[in-house]
Amino acid sequence: MRILLLAAALTAAPALAQNAAAPNPQIDYPGFQTLTASVAPKRAARLLAFTAFKAEAAKPDVLLLDARSADAFQRGHIKGAVNLPLTDFTADSLAAVIGANPDRAILIYCNNNFRNDAAPVRMKAAPLALNIQTFINLVGYGYPNVYELADVVDFNDPRVEWVKG
């Protein structure tokens, strides 16, 4: 059924495009594609195994950022994490959370870093994992020192230091 709906949508797309208004100057999809392509090699080099991730998180002035929803964060998160939902990312909100130093190390994790697939970390479709958008957004807003948890862990493992809300 989904394939049929997708096929219908793709068939209708050219007709819809002909009737579309001028592009919104506040949305730059080609710019997003360029940014995404430039971030890909950096992200590949910034994936940290769990033990390295935890060691980095323990260092002074390193920010452990949880970009999940405020509700999900309140229901559970890694100890020491600060919450700023991805949907709330703006230059001002990021500066307020990250601080004045754009070179500050920022560690990120998302739902797909947990094998539990239970609230508050329900698994997302792999190509849509929150880490991907969070990494791209942080670099796009001028924060070059982003590191991502590479491993899949159990939030019940005491080493994770999961804080239940």
Coordinates of all heavy atoms in Angstrom, one line a residue, residues 2-104:
R2 N 1.9 1.3 0.8 CA 2.8 2.4 0.9 C 3.5 2.7 -0.5 O 3.7 3.8 -0.9 CB 3.9 2.3 2.0 CG 3.4 2.7 3.3 CD 4.6 3.0 4.2 NE 4.9 1.8 4.9 CZ 5.9 1.8 5.8 NH1 6.5 2.8 6.1 NH2 6.2 0.7 6.5
I3 N 3.9 1.6 -1.1 CA 4.5 1.7 -2.4 C 3.6 2.3 -3.4 O 4.0 3.2 -4.2 CB 5.0 0.4 -2.9 CG1 6.2 -0.1 -2.0 CG2 5.5 0.4 -4.3 CD1 6.7 -1.5 -2.2
L4 N 2.3 1.9 -3.4 CA 1.3 2.5 -4.3 C 1.1 4.0 -4.0 O 1.0 4.8 -5.0 CB 0.0 1.8 -4.2 CG 0.0 0.3 -4.7 CD1 -1.4 -0.3 -4.4 CD2 0.3 0.3 -6.2
L5 N 1.1 4.4 -2.8 CA 0.9 5.8 -2.4 C 2.1 6.6 -2.9 O 2.0 7.7 -3.4 CB 0.7 6.0 -0.9 CG -0.6 5.4 -0.4 CD1 -0.7 5.5 1.1 CD2 -1.8 6.2 -1.0
L6 N 3.3 6.0 -2.7 CA 4.5 6.7 -3.1 C 4.6 6.9 -4.6 O 4.9 7.9 -5.1 CB 5.8 5.9 -2.6 CG 7.1 6.5 -3.0 CD1 7.3 7.9 -2.5 CD2 8.2 5.6 -2.5
A7 N 4.2 5.8 -5.3 CA 4.1 5.9 -6.8 C 3.2 7.0 -7.2 O 3.4 7.8 -8.1 CB 3.8 4.6 -7.4
A8 N 2.0 7.1 -6.6 CA 1.0 8.1 -6.9 C 1.6 9.5 -6.6 O 1.4 10.4 -7.4 CB -0.3 7.8 -6.2
A9 N 2.2 9.6 -5.5 CA 2.8 10.9 -5.2 C 3.9 11.3 -6.2 O 3.9 12.5 -6.6 CB 3.4 10.9 -3.8
L10 N 4.7 10.4 -6.6 CA 5.8 10.7 -7.5 C 5.2 11.1 -8.9 O 5.7 11.9 -9.6 CB 6.8 9.6 -7.7 CG 7.6 9.3 -6.4 CD1 8.5 8.0 -6.6 CD2 8.5 10.5 -6.1
T11 N 4.1 10.4 -9.3 CA 3.5 10.7 -10.5 C 2.8 12.1 -10.5 O 2.9 12.8 -11.5 CB 2.4 9.7 -10.8 OG1 3.0 8.4 -10.8 CG2 1.7 9.9 -12.2
A12 N 2.3 12.5 -9.4 CA 1.7 13.8 -9.2 C 2.7 14.9 -9.1 O 2.3 16.1 -9.3 CB 0.7 13.8 -8.1
A13 N 3.9 14.6 -8.6 CA 4.8 15.6 -8.3 C 5.1 16.6 -9.4 O 5.1 17.8 -9.2 CB 6.2 15.0 -7.8
P14 N 5.3 16.2 -10.7 CA 5.6 17.2 -11.8 C 4.4 18.2 -11.9 O 4.6 19.3 -12.1 CB 5.8 16.3 -13.0 CG 6.2 15.0 -12.5 CD 5.5 14.8 -11.2
A15 N 3.2 17.7 -11.8 CA 2.0 18.6 -12.0 C 2.0 19.6 -10.8 O 1.7 20.7 -11.0 CB 0.7 17.7 -12.0
L16 N 2.3 19.1 -9.6 CA 2.3 20.0 -8.5 C 3.4 21.0 -8.6 O 3.2 22.2 -8.3 CB 2.5 19.2 -7.2 CG 1.3 18.3 -6.8 CD1 1.7 17.5 -5.5 CD2 0.1 19.1 -6.5
A17 N 4.6 20.6 -9.1 CA 5.7 21.6 -9.3 C 5.4 22.7 -10.2 O 5.8 23.8 -10.1 CB 6.9 20.8 -9.7
Q18 N 4.6 22.4 -11.3 CA 4.2 23.4 -12.3 C 3.4 24.5 -11.6 O 3.4 25.6 -12.1 CB 3.5 22.7 -13.4 CG 4.4 21.9 -14.3 CD 3.6 21.1 -15.4 OE1 2.4 21.2 -15.4 NE2 4.3 20.4 -16.2
N19 N 2.6 24.1 -10.6 CA 1.7 25.0 -10.0 C 2.3 25.7 -8.8 O 1.6 26.5 -8.1 CB 0.4 24.3 -9.6 CG -0.4 23.9 -10.9 OD1 -0.4 24.5 -11.9 ND2 -1.0 22.7 -10.7
A20 N 3.5 25.3 -8.4 CA 4.1 25.8 -7.2 C 4.5 27.3 -7.3 O 4.8 27.8 -8.4 CB 5.4 25.0 -6.9
A21 N 4.4 28.0 -6.2 CA 4.8 29.4 -6.1 C 6.3 29.5 -6.2 O 7.0 28.4 -6.2 CB 4.3 30.0 -4.8
A22 N 6.9 30.7 -6.2 CA 8.3 30.9 -6.2 C 8.9 30.2 -5.0 O 8.3 30.2 -4.0 CB 8.6 32.4 -6.3
P23 N 10.1 29.7 -5.1 CA 10.8 29.1 -3.9 C 10.8 30.1 -2.7 O 11.0 31.3 -2.9 CB 12.2 28.8 -4.4 CG 12.1 28.9 -5.9 CD 11.0 29.8 -6.3
N24 N 10.7 29.5 -1.6 CA 10.8 30.3 -0.3 C 12.3 30.6 -0.1 O 13.1 29.7 0.0 CB 10.3 29.4 0.8 CG 10.3 30.1 2.1 OD1 11.0 31.0 2.4 ND2 9.5 29.6 3.1
P25 N 12.6 31.9 0.0 CA 14.0 32.3 0.1 C 14.6 31.9 1.5 O 15.8 32.0 1.7 CB 14.0 33.8 -0.1 CG 12.6 34.2 0.3 CD 11.7 33.0 -0.1
Q26 N 13.7 31.5 2.4 CA 14.2 31.1 3.8 C 14.4 29.6 3.9 O 14.7 29.1 5.0 CB 13.2 31.6 4.8 CG 13.0 33.1 4.8 CD 12.1 33.6 5.9 OE1 12.4 34.5 6.6 NE2 10.9 33.0 6.1
I27 N 14.2 28.9 2.8 CA 14.5 27.5 2.7 C 15.5 27.2 1.6 O 15.2 27.6 0.4 CB 13.2 26.7 2.5 CG1 12.2 26.9 3.7 CG2 13.5 25.2 2.4 CD1 10.9 26.3 3.5
D28 N 16.6 26.6 1.9 CA 17.7 26.4 0.9 C 18.0 24.9 0.9 O 19.0 24.5 1.5 CB 18.9 27.3 1.3 CG 20.0 27.2 0.3 OD1 19.9 26.5 -0.7 OD2 21.1 27.8 0.6
Y29 N 17.3 24.1 0.1 CA 17.5 22.7 0.0 C 18.9 22.4 -0.6 O 19.7 21.6 -0.1 CB 16.4 22.0 -0.7 CG 16.5 20.5 -0.6 CD1 16.3 19.8 0.6 CD2 16.9 19.8 -1.7 CE1 16.4 18.4 0.7 CE2 17.1 18.4 -1.6 CZ 16.8 17.7 -0.5 OH 17.0 16.4 -0.4
P30 N 19.2 23.1 -1.7 CA 20.6 22.9 -2.3 C 21.7 23.2 -1.3 O 22.7 22.5 -1.2 CB 20.6 23.8 -3.5 CG 19.2 24.0 -3.9 CD 18.4 24.0 -2.6
G31 N 21.5 24.2 -0.5 CA 22.5 24.6 0.5 C 22.6 23.5 1.6 O 23.7 23.1 2.1
F32 N 21.4 22.9 1.9 CA 21.4 21.7 2.9 C 22.2 20.6 2.3 O 22.9 19.9 3.0 CB 20.0 21.4 3.2 CG 19.8 20.1 4.0 CD1 20.1 20.2 5.4 CD2 19.5 18.9 3.5 CE1 20.0 19.0 6.2 CE2 19.4 17.8 4.2 CZ 19.7 17.8 5.6
Q33 N 21.9 20.3 1.0 CA 22.7 19.2 0.4 C 24.2 19.4 0.4 O 24.9 18.5 0.6 CB 22.2 19.0 -1.1 CG 20.7 18.5 -1.1 CD 20.2 18.4 -2.6 OE1 20.3 19.4 -3.3 NE2 19.8 17.2 -3.0
T34 N 24.6 20.6 0.1 CA 26.0 21.0 0.1 C 26.6 20.8 1.5 O 27.7 20.2 1.7 CB 26.2 22.4 -0.4 OG1 25.7 22.5 -1.7 CG2 27.7 22.8 -0.3
L35 N 25.8 21.3 2.5 CA 26.3 21.2 3.9 C 26.4 19.7 4.3 O 27.4 19.3 4.9 CB 25.3 21.9 4.8 CG 25.5 21.8 6.3 CD1 26.9 22.4 6.7 CD2 24.4 22.5 7.1
T36 N 25.4 18.9 4.0 CA 25.4 17.5 4.3 C 26.6 16.8 3.7 O 27.2 16.0 4.4 CB 24.0 16.9 3.9 OG1 23.0 17.5 4.5 CG2 24.0 15.4 4.2
A37 N 26.9 17.1 2.5 CA 28.0 16.4 1.8 C 29.3 16.8 2.5 O 30.2 16.0 2.6 CB 28.0 16.8 0.3
S38 N 29.4 18.1 2.9 CA 30.7 18.6 3.5 C 30.8 18.0 4.9 O 31.9 17.8 5.4 CB 30.7 20.1 3.5 OG 29.8 20.6 4.5
V39 N 29.7 17.7 5.6 CA 29.8 17.2 7.0 C 30.0 15.7 7.0 O 30.6 15.2 8.0 CB 28.4 17.6 7.7 CG1 28.3 16.8 9.0 CG2 28.3 19.1 8.0
A40 N 29.7 15.0 6.0 CA 29.8 13.5 6.0 C 31.2 13.0 6.4 O 31.3 12.2 7.3 CB 29.3 13.0 4.7
P41 N 32.3 13.5 5.8 CA 33.6 13.0 6.2 C 34.0 13.3 7.6 O 34.6 12.5 8.3 CB 34.5 13.6 5.2 CG 33.8 14.5 4.3 CD 32.3 14.4 4.7
K42 N 33.6 14.5 8.0 CA 33.9 15.0 9.4 C 33.1 14.1 10.4 O 33.7 13.6 11.4 CB 33.5 16.4 9.6 CG 33.7 16.9 11.1 CD 33.3 18.3 11.2 CE 34.5 19.1 11.0 NZ 34.5 20.5 11.4
R43 N 31.9 13.8 10.1 CA 31.1 12.9 11.0 C 31.7 11.5 11.1 O 31.8 11.0 12.2 CB 29.6 12.9 10.5 CG 28.8 12.0 11.5 CD 27.3 12.0 11.0 NE 26.7 10.9 11.8 CZ 26.6 9.7 11.4 NH1 27.1 9.3 10.2 NH2 26.0 8.8 12.1
A44 N 32.1 11.0 10.0 CA 32.7 9.7 10.0 C 33.9 9.6 10.9 O 34.2 8.5 11.5 CB 33.1 9.3 8.6
A45 N 34.6 10.7 11.0 CA 35.8 10.7 11.9 C 35.5 11.1 13.3 O 36.4 11.0 14.2 CB 36.8 11.7 11.3
R46 N 34.3 11.4 13.6 CA 33.9 11.9 14.9 C 33.0 10.9 15.7 O 32.3 11.3 16.6 CB 33.3 13.2 14.9 CG 34.1 14.3 14.3 CD 35.2 14.7 15.3 NE 36.1 15.8 14.8 CZ 35.9 17.0 15.0 NH1 34.9 17.4 15.7 NH2 36.8 17.9 14.6
L47 N 33.0 9.6 15.3 CA 32.2 8.6 15.9 C 33.0 8.0 17.1 O 34.1 7.5 16.8 CB 31.7 7.6 15.0 CG 30.8 8.1 13.8 CD1 30.6 7.0 12.8 CD2 29.5 8.6 14.3
L48 N 32.5 8.0 18.3 CA 33.2 7.5 19.4 C 32.6 6.3 20.0 O 31.4 6.2 20.2 CB 33.2 8.6 20.6 CG 33.9 9.9 20.2 CD1 33.7 10.9 21.4 CD2 35.3 9.7 19.9
A49 N 33.4 5.3 20.3 CA 33.0 4.1 21.0 C 32.5 4.6 22.4 O 32.9 5.6 22.9 CB 34.1 3.1 21.1
F50 N 31.6 3.7 23.0 CA 31.0 4.1 24.3 C 32.0 4.5 25.3 O 31.9 5.5 26.0 CB 30.2 2.9 24.8 CG 29.6 3.2 26.1 CD1 28.5 4.1 26.3 CD2 30.0 2.5 27.3 CE1 28.0 4.4 27.6 CE2 29.5 2.8 28.5 CZ 28.5 3.7 28.7
T51 N 33.1 3.7 25.5 CA 34.1 4.1 26.6 C 34.8 5.4 26.3 O 35.0 6.2 27.2 CB 35.1 2.9 26.7 OG1 35.7 2.7 25.5 CG2 34.5 1.7 27.3
A52 N 35.1 5.7 25.1 CA 35.7 7.0 24.7 C 34.7 8.1 24.9 O 35.0 9.2 25.4 CB 36.2 7.0 23.3
F53 N 33.4 7.9 24.5 CA 32.4 8.8 24.7 C 32.2 9.2 26.1 O 32.2 10.4 26.5 CB 31.1 8.3 24.1 CG 29.9 9.2 24.1 CD1 29.7 10.0 23.0 CD2 29.0 9.2 25.1 CE1 28.6 10.9 23.0 CE2 27.9 10.0 25.1 CZ 27.7 10.9 24.0
K54 N 32.2 8.2 27.0 CA 32.0 8.5 28.5 C 33.2 9.2 29.0 O 33.1 10.1 29.9 CB 31.8 7.2 29.2 CG 30.4 6.6 29.0 CD 29.3 7.4 29.5 CE 29.2 7.3 31.0 NZ 28.1 8.1 31.6
A55 N 34.4 8.8 28.6 CA 35.6 9.5 29.0 C 35.6 11.0 28.6 O 36.0 11.9 29.4 CB 36.9 8.8 28.5
E56 N 35.2 11.3 27.4 CA 35.2 12.6 26.9 C 34.1 13.4 27.7 O 34.3 14.6 28.0 CB 34.9 12.7 25.4 CG 36.0 12.3 24.5 CD 37.3 13.1 24.7 OE1 37.1 14.4 24.7 OE2 38.3 12.6 24.8
A57 N 33.0 12.8 27.9 CA 31.9 13.5 28.7 C 32.3 13.9 30.1 O 31.7 14.8 30.6 CB 30.6 12.6 28.7
A58 N 33.2 13.2 30.6 CA 33.7 13.5 32.0 C 34.7 14.6 32.1 O 34.9 15.1 33.2 CB 34.3 12.2 32.6
K59 N 35.1 15.1 30.9 CA 36.1 16.2 30.9 C 35.4 17.5 31.2 O 34.3 17.7 30.8 CB 36.8 16.2 29.6 CG 37.7 15.1 29.3 CD 38.4 15.2 28.0 CE 39.4 14.0 27.8 NZ 40.0 14.1 26.4
P60 N 36.1 18.4 31.8 CA 35.5 19.8 32.1 C 35.3 20.5 30.8 O 36.0 20.3 29.8 CB 36.6 20.5 32.9 CG 37.8 19.7 32.9 CD 37.5 18.3 32.3
D61 N 34.2 21.3 30.8 CA 33.8 22.1 29.7 C 33.3 21.3 28.4 O 33.1 21.9 27.4 CB 34.9 23.1 29.3 CG 34.3 24.3 28.5 OD1 33.2 24.8 28.9 OD2 34.9 24.8 27.5
V62 N 33.2 20.0 28.5 CA 32.6 19.3 27.4 C 31.1 19.3 27.6 O 30.6 19.0 28.7 CB 33.2 17.8 27.3 CG1 32.4 17.0 26.3 CG2 34.6 17.9 27.0
L63 N 30.3 19.5 26.5 CA 28.9 19.6 26.6 C 28.3 18.3 26.1 O 28.6 17.8 25.0 CB 28.3 20.7 25.8 CG 26.8 20.8 25.7 CD1 26.2 21.1 27.1 CD2 26.4 21.8 24.7
L64 N 27.5 17.6 26.9 CA 26.8 16.4 26.5 C 25.4 16.9 26.2 O 24.6 17.3 27.0 CB 26.7 15.4 27.6 CG 26.0 14.1 27.4 CD1 26.5 13.4 26.1 CD2 26.1 13.2 28.6
L65 N 25.1 16.9 24.9 CA 23.8 17.5 24.4 C 22.8 16.4 23.9 O 23.2 15.6 23.1 CB 24.1 18.4 23.2 CG 22.9 19.1 22.6 CD1 22.3 20.1 23.6 CD2 23.3 19.9 21.3
D66 N 21.6 16.5 24.5 CA 20.5 15.6 24.1 C 19.5 16.4 23.3 O 18.9 17.4 23.9 CB 19.9 15.1 25.4 CG 18.8 14.0 25.2 OD1 18.1 14.2 24.2 OD2 18.7 13.1 26.0
A67 N 19.4 16.2 22.0 CA 18.5 16.9 21.2 C 17.1 16.3 21.0 O 16.4 16.7 20.1 CB 19.2 17.2 19.8
R68 N 16.8 15.3 21.8 CA 15.5 14.7 21.8 C 14.5 15.7 22.3 O 14.8 16.8 22.9 CB 15.4 13.4 22.6 CG 16.4 12.4 22.0 CD 16.4 11.1 22.8 NE 16.8 11.4 24.2 CZ 16.1 11.0 25.3 NH1 15.1 10.2 25.2 NH2 16.5 11.4 26.5
S69 N 13.2 15.4 22.2 CA 12.2 16.3 22.7 C 12.3 16.5 24.2 O 12.9 15.7 25.0 CB 10.8 15.7 22.5 OG 10.6 14.6 23.3
A70 N 11.8 17.6 24.7 CA 11.9 17.9 26.2 C 11.2 16.8 27.0 O 11.6 16.4 28.0 CB 11.3 19.3 26.5
D71 N 10.1 16.3 26.5 CA 9.3 15.3 27.1 C 10.2 14.0 27.3 O 10.3 13.4 28.3 CB 8.0 15.0 26.4 CG 7.2 13.9 27.1 OD1 6.8 14.0 28.2 OD2 7.0 12.8 26.4
A72 N 10.8 13.6 26.2 CA 11.6 12.4 26.2 C 12.8 12.6 27.1 O 13.1 11.7 27.9 CB 12.1 12.0 24.8
F73 N 13.4 13.7 27.1 CA 14.5 14.0 28.0 C 14.1 13.9 29.4 O 14.8 13.3 30.3 CB 15.1 15.4 27.7 CG 16.3 15.8 28.5 CD1 17.5 15.3 28.3 CD2 16.1 16.6 29.7 CE1 18.6 15.7 29.0 CE2 17.2 17.0 30.5 CZ 18.4 16.5 30.2
Q74 N 13.0 14.5 29.8 CA 12.5 14.5 31.2 C 12.2 13.0 31.6 O 12.3 12.7 32.8 CB 11.2 15.3 31.3 CG 11.5 16.8 31.2 CD 10.3 17.7 31.2 OE1 9.1 17.2 31.2 NE2 10.5 19.0 31.2
R75 N 11.8 12.2 30.7 CA 11.5 10.8 31.1 C 12.8 9.9 31.2 O 12.7 8.8 31.7 CB 10.5 10.2 30.1 CG 9.1 10.8 30.2 CD 8.1 10.1 29.4 NE 8.3 10.4 27.9 CZ 8.1 9.6 27.0 NH1 7.7 8.4 27.2 NH2 8.4 10.0 25.7
G76 N 13.9 10.4 30.7 CA 15.1 9.7 30.8 C 16.2 10.2 29.9 O 15.9 10.7 28.8
H77 N 17.5 10.3 30.4 CA 18.6 10.8 29.7 C 19.9 10.3 30.4 O 19.9 9.8 31.5 CB 18.6 12.3 29.6 CG 18.6 13.0 30.9 ND1 17.4 13.2 31.6 CD2 19.6 13.4 31.7 CE1 17.7 13.8 32.7 NE2 19.0 13.9 32.8
I78 N 21.0 10.5 29.7 CA 22.3 10.1 30.3 C 22.6 11.2 31.3 O 22.5 12.4 31.0 CB 23.4 10.0 29.2 CG1 23.1 8.9 28.2 CG2 24.8 9.9 29.8 CD1 24.1 8.8 27.0
K79 N 23.2 10.8 32.4 CA 23.5 11.7 33.5 C 24.5 12.8 32.9 O 25.4 12.5 32.2 CB 24.2 11.0 34.6 CG 24.6 11.8 35.8 CD 25.3 11.0 36.8 CE 25.9 11.8 38.0 NZ 26.6 11.0 38.9
G80 N 24.2 14.1 33.3 CA 25.0 15.2 32.8 C 24.6 15.8 31.5 O 25.1 16.9 31.2
A81 N 23.7 15.2 30.8 CA 23.2 15.7 29.6 C 22.4 17.0 29.8 O 21.7 17.2 30.8 CB 22.4 14.7 28.8
V82 N 22.5 17.9 28.8 CA 21.7 19.1 28.7 C 20.8 19.0 27.5 O 21.2 18.4 26.5 CB 22.6 20.3 28.5 CG1 21.8 21.6 28.3 CG2 23.5 20.5 29.7
N83 N 19.5 19.4 27.7 CA 18.6 19.2 26.6 C 18.3 20.5 25.8 O 18.1 21.6 26.4 CB 17.2 18.7 27.2 CG 16.1 18.5 26.2 OD1 15.1 19.0 26.3 ND2 16.4 17.6 25.2
L84 N 18.4 20.4 24.5 CA 17.9 21.4 23.6 C 17.3 20.7 22.4 O 18.1 20.1 21.6 CB 19.0 22.4 23.2 CG 18.5 23.5 22.2 CD1 17.5 24.4 22.8 CD2 19.7 24.3 21.7
P85 N 16.0 20.6 22.3 CA 15.4 19.8 21.2 C 15.8 20.3 19.9 O 15.9 21.6 19.7 CB 13.9 20.0 21.5 CG 13.8 20.2 22.9 CD 15.0 21.1 23.3
L86 N 16.1 19.4 18.9 CA 16.5 19.8 17.6 C 15.5 20.9 17.0 O 15.9 21.8 16.3 CB 16.6 18.6 16.7 CG 17.0 18.9 15.2 CD1 18.4 19.4 15.1 CD2 16.8 17.6 14.4
T87 N 14.2 20.7 17.3 CA 13.3 21.6 16.7 C 13.4 23.0 17.3 O 12.9 24.0 16.7 CB 11.8 21.1 17.0 OG1 11.7 20.9 18.4 CG2 11.5 19.8 16.3
D88 N 14.1 23.2 18.4 CA 14.4 24.5 19.0 C 15.7 25.1 18.6 O 16.1 26.2 19.1 CB 14.2 24.4 20.5 CG 12.8 24.1 20.9 OD1 11.9 24.3 20.2 OD2 12.7 23.6 22.1
F89 N 16.5 24.4 17.7 CA 17.8 24.9 17.3 C 17.6 26.2 16.6 O 17.0 26.3 15.5 CB 18.6 24.0 16.5 CG 19.3 22.8 17.2 CD1 18.9 22.4 18.4 CD2 20.3 22.2 16.5 CE1 19.6 21.4 19.1 CE2 21.0 21.1 17.2 CZ 20.6 20.7 18.4
T90 N 18.3 27.3 17.1 CA 18.5 28.5 16.4 C 19.8 29.0 16.8 O 20.4 28.5 17.7 CB 17.4 29.6 16.8 OG1 17.6 29.9 18.2 CG2 16.0 29.2 16.5
A91 N 20.4 30.0 16.1 CA 21.7 30.6 16.5 C 21.6 31.0 18.0 O 22.6 30.7 18.7 CB 22.1 31.7 15.6
D92 N 20.6 31.7 18.4 CA 20.5 32.2 19.7 C 20.3 31.1 20.8 O 21.0 31.1 21.8 CB 19.4 33.2 19.9 CG 19.6 34.5 19.1 OD1 20.8 34.8 18.9 OD2 18.7 35.2 18.9
S93 N 19.5 30.1 20.5 CA 19.2 29.0 21.5 C 20.5 28.2 21.6 O 20.8 27.8 22.8 CB 18.0 28.2 21.1 OG 18.3 27.4 20.0
L94 N 21.2 27.9 20.6 CA 22.4 27.2 20.6 C 23.5 27.9 21.4 O 24.2 27.3 22.3 CB 22.9 26.8 19.2 CG 22.1 25.7 18.6 CD1 22.4 25.7 17.1 CD2 22.4 24.3 19.2
A95 N 23.7 29.2 21.2 CA 24.6 30.0 21.9 C 24.3 30.0 23.4 O 25.2 30.0 24.2 CB 24.7 31.4 21.3
A96 N 23.0 30.1 23.7 CA 22.7 30.1 25.1 C 23.0 28.8 25.8 O 23.4 28.8 27.0 CB 21.2 30.4 25.3
V97 N 22.9 27.7 25.1 CA 23.2 26.4 25.7 C 24.7 26.1 25.7 O 25.3 25.6 26.6 CB 22.4 25.3 25.1 CG1 22.8 23.9 25.5 CG2 20.9 25.4 25.4
I98 N 25.3 26.3 24.5 CA 26.7 25.9 24.3 C 27.7 26.9 24.9 O 28.7 26.5 25.4 CB 27.0 25.8 22.8 CG1 26.1 24.6 22.3 CG2 28.5 25.5 22.5 CD1 26.1 24.5 20.8
G99 N 27.3 28.2 24.9 CA 28.2 29.2 25.5 C 28.9 30.0 24.4 O 28.7 29.8 23.2
A100 N 29.8 30.8 24.9 CA 30.5 31.7 24.0 C 31.6 31.1 23.1 O 32.0 31.7 22.1 CB 31.2 32.9 24.8
N101 N 32.1 29.9 23.5 CA 33.1 29.3 22.7 C 32.6 28.3 21.7 O 32.2 27.2 22.0 CB 34.1 28.5 23.7 CG 35.2 27.8 23.0 OD1 35.4 28.0 21.8 ND2 35.9 27.0 23.7
P102 N 32.6 28.7 20.4 CA 32.1 27.8 19.3 C 32.9 26.6 19.1 O 32.4 25.6 18.5 CB 32.0 28.7 18.1 CG 33.1 29.8 18.4 CD 33.1 30.0 19.8
D103 N 34.1 26.6 19.6 CA 35.0 25.4 19.5 C 34.8 24.4 20.7 O 35.6 23.4 20.7 CB 36.5 25.9 19.4 CG 36.7 26.6 18.1 OD1 36.2 26.2 17.1 OD2 37.5 27.6 18.2
R104 N 33.9 24.7 21.5 CA 33.6 23.8 22.7 C 33.3 22.4 22.1 O 32.6 22.2 21.1 CB 32.5 24.3 23.5 CG 32.2 23.5 24.7 CD 31.0 24.1 25.5 NE 30.8 23.4 26.7 CZ 29.8 23.6 27.5 NH1 28.9 24.6 27.2 NH2 29.7 22.9 28.7

